[in-house]
């Protein structure tokens, strides 16, 4: 089949096929929008124990972990109830509006949470943020639409975890440092002021400000990736280009692109502005005109290509692709990956919520020591120390995502790596509660070693699962729905995890089995390990075609036309 000329690109895979440029610019913009959410989410953990204590809802300190788990679960349970809705809505109206709505919901939530005078208000604030935020699934969909070749996946799918790690560094530091400012900084924040009445307002104001910055960046510089909506005019994106030009950001590449954008404006009747800018297939003056046919859902796998013959084999009935999509959306690889994602979310969220409570728990007056399983003790660390520990956790996660995850994923493959981690997680939860039995001089080093262990596992597990899920999708048309369902499943598990762990941790302290919550998570990981052994590589849209029998839906023209957002995405 004859192919139109394509621009030279230095990137090639092992078979010599030219690769589209890595979408660095848009992933950077997406990262700037994303980072404000982990800052807001993680900032509450250093002070949540003391916030519950200040609500004066119980005199039993053993029950504080239960209420802390409820506050954490309120967000994820609400997120579960709307995750599928936001995923489907993003398939209809586009990814960008849903992402920005989620950010606005996060800002509103943290403001209400900062002013919360009681537990019910705090629960409402967290639930409000979950209801208005469906960004977990939509973010994964956006990344999958930006990255169209497997060679870019290990690098691309570690960017959002790296961003989360950066937020995990900043958030706990801000939460630990700014919470209860009248106690921490009495010379600056006097008693009787608003900071004394609402001692947890200051860190939430900081979080709201970062979210506001993220919304502005998204409005001005984030491109739409939906296969239909990205062709529609985006006036805020136009204004972003205008501002970039004003501050001297107009490079030679941008200057060359303007005539092409104008040509598109003049030549497309429906298109007001292509936010993904010029298409590579338009660079050649002797290329054939693109066929005007588009399916009803305008699947990126069926997007116009220079070769008309490949389109003649596609059914022209607009209803037929929709029927086929409904029949094939929940394949076995998709279902198994969604369930595995939920189990991973359950026990990792349990660790994230329970670990600060574990560190905050004071040493009882009469510790119990009846090994191997019956013992109680505590660390009694303050908010600043816990904030530093969690920031170190985020810093190491950043290092792991950047230097460890990509080469290990390329070396072992996503499926093998995910299985190895799933079978190894049990040991982490088995040994964690025994840290309280160590001598005082060994406690802090052991805590940091545990943090490194946990972060190494989680930073490799989540990208591996995300790659497996994206590759298992039958079509990019349904990525929003699949990731929405996966996000809802994970949200439900994240809601159940902290609630159950809080109850079990409280029960364990009362009965003397303080490791009960940790060991329960270990049992959950055994179920996840078994399910990981049943996962197979999905034959989805990311599968590479063989030279002998090339799939027309995976034609290289598609990678250039759909995957290459811009020449300014080169790195």
């Amino acid at each position: 089949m004859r192919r139109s000329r394509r621009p030279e690109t230095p990137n090639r895979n092992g078979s010599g096929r030219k690769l589209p440029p890595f979408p660095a610019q848009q992933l950077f913009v997406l990262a700037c929008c994303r980072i404000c959410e982990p800052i807001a989410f993680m900032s509450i953990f250093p002070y949540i124990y003391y916030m519950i204590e200040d609500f004066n809802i119980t005199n039993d300190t053993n029950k504080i972990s239960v209420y802390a788990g409820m506050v954490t679960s309120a967000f994820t349970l609400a997120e579960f109830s709307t995750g599928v809705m936001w995923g489907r809505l993003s398939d209809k109206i586009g990814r960008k509006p849903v992402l920005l709505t989620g950010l606005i919901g996060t800002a509103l939530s943290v403001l209400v949470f900062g002013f919360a005078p009681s537990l019910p208000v705090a629960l409402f604030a967290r639930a409000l943020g979950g209801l208005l935020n469906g960004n977990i699934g939509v973010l994964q969909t956006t990344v999958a639409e930006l990255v169209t070749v497997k060679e870019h996946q290990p690098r691309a799918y570690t960017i959002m975890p790296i961003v989360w790690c950066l937020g995990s560094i900043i958030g706990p530091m801000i939460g630990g440092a700014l919470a209860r400012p009248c106690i921490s900084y009495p010379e600056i924040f006097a008693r009787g002021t608003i900071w004394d009445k609402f001692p947890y307002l200051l860190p939430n104001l900081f979080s709201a400000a970062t979210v506001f910055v993220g919304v502005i960046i998204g409005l001005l510089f984030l491109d739409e990736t939906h296969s239909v909506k990205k062709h529609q005019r985006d006036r805020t994106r136009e204004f972003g280009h205008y501002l970039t030009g004003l501050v001297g950001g107009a490079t030679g590449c941008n200057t060359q692109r303007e005539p092409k954008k104008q040509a598109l404006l003049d030549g497309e009747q429906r298109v007001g502005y292509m936010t993904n800018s010029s298409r590579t297939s338009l660079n050649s003056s002797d290329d054939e005109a693109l066929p005007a046919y588009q399916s009803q859902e305008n699947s990126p796998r069926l997007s116009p290509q220079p070769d008309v013959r490949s389109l003649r084999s596609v059914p022209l009935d607009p209803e037929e692709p929709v029927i086929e999509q409904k029949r094939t959306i929940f394949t076995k690889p998709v279902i198994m990956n969604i369930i595995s994602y939920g189990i991973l979310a359950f026990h990792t969220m349990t660790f994230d919520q329970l670990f600060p409570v574990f560190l905050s728990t004071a040493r009882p007056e009469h510790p119990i020591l009846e090994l191997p399983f019956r013992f109680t003790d505590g660390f009694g660390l303050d908010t600043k120390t816990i904030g530093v520990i969690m920031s170190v956790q985020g810093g190491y996660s950043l290092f792991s995502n950047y230097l460890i995850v990509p080469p290990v994923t390329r070396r072992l493959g996503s499926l093998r790596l995910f299985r190895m981690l799933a079978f190894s997680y049990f040991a982490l939860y088995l040994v964690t509660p025994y840290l309280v039995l160590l001598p005082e001089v060994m406690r802090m080093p052991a805590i940091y070693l545990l943090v490194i262990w946990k972060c190494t596992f989680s930073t490799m597990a989540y990208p591996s699962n995300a790659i497996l899920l994206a590759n298992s999708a039958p079509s990019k048309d349904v990525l929003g729905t699949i990731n929405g369902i996966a996000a809802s499943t994970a949200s439900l598990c994240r809601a159940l995890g902290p609630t159950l762990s809080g109850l079990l941790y409280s029960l364990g302290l009362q009965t003397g089995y303080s490791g009960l919550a940790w060991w329960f998570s270990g049992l959950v990981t055994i179920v996840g390990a078994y399910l990981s052994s049943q996962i197979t590589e999905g034959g989805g849209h990311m599968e590479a075609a063989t030279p002998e029998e090339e799939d027309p839906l995976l034609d290289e023209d598609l990678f250039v036309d759909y995957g290459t957002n811009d020449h300014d995405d080169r790195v």
Side-chain angles (χ1 to χ4, degrees):
M1 140 164 77
R2 187 183 67 83
R3 302 186 184 278
S4 58
R5 290 190 291 115
R6 303 179 188 85
E8 294 293 330
T9 130
N11 299 323
R12 293 177 180 270
N13 65 357
S15 62
R17 177 171 59 84
K18 296 177 182 178
L19 300 179
F22 187 78
Q25 279 200 353
Q26 278 303 297
L27 286 174
F28 175 75
V29 174
L30 195 64
C32 291
C33 297
R34 173 61 169 162
I35 192 171
C36 55
E37 290 186 305
I39 291 175
F41 186 81
M42 298 296 291
S43 65
I44 76 167
F45 287 112
Y47 63 76
I48 186 62
Y49 182 93
Y50 299 96
M51 187 179 194
I52 299 298
E53 192 175 49
D54 289 346
F55 286 154
N56 296 318
I57 55 179
T58 180
N59 294 323
D60 187 355
T61 56
N62 292 334
K63 294 182 179 179
I64 291 180
S65 62
V66 178
Y67 297 108
M70 291 172 59
V71 172
T72 304
S73 299
F75 176 90
T76 51
L77 187 61
E79 190 178 42
F80 157 74
S81 64
T82 59
V84 176
M85 180 202 76
W86 288 117
R88 290 179 176 173
L89 187 63
S90 74
D91 283 338
K92 293 182 179 180
I93 68 173
R95 320 302 181 197
K96 183 174 179 177
V98 174
L99 288 172
L100 295 181
T101 300
L103 293 179
I104 294 173
T106 299
L108 183 61
S109 170
V110 297
L111 286 176
V112 177
F113 190 76
F115 283 104
S118 62
L119 179 64
V121 178
L123 292 174
F124 168 76
R126 297 288 290 172
L128 180 65
L131 288 172
L132 297 178
N133 192 320
N135 285 359
I136 294 179
V138 180
L139 273 167
Q140 290 197 15
T141 302
T142 305
V143 173
E145 289 173 333
L146 288 171
V147 180
T148 57
V149 289
K150 279 188 174 182
E151 289 81 357
H152 289 162
Q153 282 185 326
R155 180 182 176 190
Y157 277 93
T158 56
I159 291 178
M160 291 305 118
I162 286 175
V163 171
W164 182 272
C165 295
L166 286 172
S168 298
I169 298 172
I170 301 172
M173 290 182 66
I174 294 301
L178 300 184
R180 303 197 294 182
C182 293
I183 297 177
S184 300
Y185 313 103
E187 67 280 0
I188 301 176
F189 301 94
R191 292 285 186 177
T193 61
I194 188 175
W195 313 113
D196 187 27
K197 184 178 181 181
F198 302 104
Y200 307 100
L201 174 61
L202 190 57
N204 286 281
L205 283 177
F206 180 90
S207 298
T210 60
V211 173
F212 176 75
V213 173
V215 171
I216 298 300
I217 292 175
L219 280 172
L220 297 178
F221 304 111
L222 183 62
D223 287 340
E224 177 61 65
T225 61
H226 188 278
S227 56
V228 175
K229 303 300 178 182
K230 66 181 180 180
H231 299 298
Q232 297 180 356
R233 186 171 191 175
D234 186 346
R235 294 185 182 276
T236 58
R237 189 70 181 91
E238 291 182 37
F239 187 62
H241 279 296
Y242 172 74
L243 290 179
T244 303
L246 284 182
V247 298
T251 63
C253 180
N254 289 336
T255 305
Q256 295 172 3
R257 191 168 61 245
E258 289 303 322
K260 298 178 183 178
K261 290 181 179 177
Q262 189 59 46
L264 291 173
L265 289 171
D266 296 337
E268 288 280 343
Q269 186 174 2
R270 291 179 60 232
V271 178
Y273 179 73
M274 287 186 68
T275 56
N276 283 352
S277 71
S278 60
R279 302 296 184 98
T280 308
S281 57
L282 294 176
N283 288 344
S284 179
S285 59
D286 60 346
D287 281 349
E288 299 175 18
L290 296 179
Y293 167 76
Q294 291 178 333
S295 68
Q296 185 179 19
E297 297 294 327
N298 197 16
S299 167
R301 298 177 69 188
L302 301 177
S303 57
Q305 301 183 44
D307 197 325
V308 182
R309 288 175 295 175
S310 65
L311 291 172
R312 288 174 182 169
S313 61
V314 180
L316 295 180
D317 184 358
E319 298 299 324
E320 189 167 346
V322 179
I323 296 175
E324 183 67 21
Q325 171 187 344
K326 291 180 179 178
R327 289 177 180 174
T328 60
I329 180 173
F330 291 112
T331 61
K332 182 181 177 180
V334 170
I335 294 173
M336 297 303 294
N337 278 293
I338 288 176
I339 296 175
S340 296
Y341 181 39
I343 291 177
L344 179 66
F346 180 94
H347 63 78
T348 55
M349 188 63 193
T350 294
F351 189 102
D352 289 338
Q353 185 272 333
L354 190 59
F355 194 57
V357 176
F358 178 58
L359 298 178
S360 302
T361 303
R363 186 171 188 178
E365 295 181 4
H366 305 288
I368 299 174
L369 185 60
E370 298 177 10
L371 296 176
F373 299 116
R374 192 167 187 263
F375 56 88
T376 58
D377 209 332
F379 291 97
L381 302 180
D382 56 31
T383 59
K384 289 184 178 180
T385 304
I386 296 173
V388 171
I389 292 173
M390 296 186 69
S391 296
V392 170
Q393 172 179 307
Y396 176 78
S397 297
L398 177 64
F399 166 81
S400 178
N401 271 299
Y402 188 73
L403 294 178
I404 299 178
V405 177
V408 172
T409 304
R410 284 192 293 265
R411 176 78 175 178
L412 299 178
S414 300
L415 180 57
R416 183 185 301 176
L417 177 60
F418 186 73
R419 285 176 176 171
M420 290 174 58
L421 295 170
F423 277 91
S424 304
Y425 254 119
F426 175 78
L428 172 67
Y429 296 101
L430 177 65
V431 304
T432 297
Y434 289 98
L435 265 63
V436 296
L437 302 181
L438 294 174
E440 192 71 28
V441 69
M442 296 179 61
R443 283 188 169 191
M444 291 307 295
I447 288 174
Y448 285 114
L449 286 175
L450 186 76
V451 164
I452 291 174
W453 183 2
K454 179 261 180 184
C455 292
T456 302
F457 274 34
S458 62
T459 53
M460 291 191 292
Y462 274 103
S464 298
N465 182 265
I467 292 174
L468 291 171
L469 182 60
N471 290 346
S472 67
S475 165
K476 282 191 177 179
D477 261 354
V478 296
L479 267 177
T481 301
I482 289 176
N483 281 318
I485 293 173
S488 289
T489 302
S491 296
L492 176 62
C493 293
R494 288 188 178 105
L496 294 176
T499 301
L500 289 177
S501 66
L503 290 170
L504 291 174
Y505 188 69
S506 176
L507 178 63
L509 291 177
Q510 294 173 14
T511 60
Y513 294 93
S514 59
L516 190 61
W518 299 105
W519 298 330
F520 176 77
S521 295
L523 293 177
V524 173
T525 65
I526 295 177
V527 178
Y530 170 75
L531 289 177
S532 71
S533 68
Q534 306 301 307
I535 295 177
T536 58
E537 290 278 8
H541 61 277
M542 297 297 292
E543 293 295 326
T546 60
E548 292 80 7
E549 186 179 16
E550 186 175 16
D551 186 347
L553 298 183
L554 296 176
D555 192 281
E556 290 179 24
D557 291 325
L558 172 60
F559 293 134
V560 176
D561 181 56
Y562 178 75
T564 308
N565 291 333
D566 233 333
H567 288 297
D568 57 6
D569 283 339
R570 297 178 184 274
V571 291

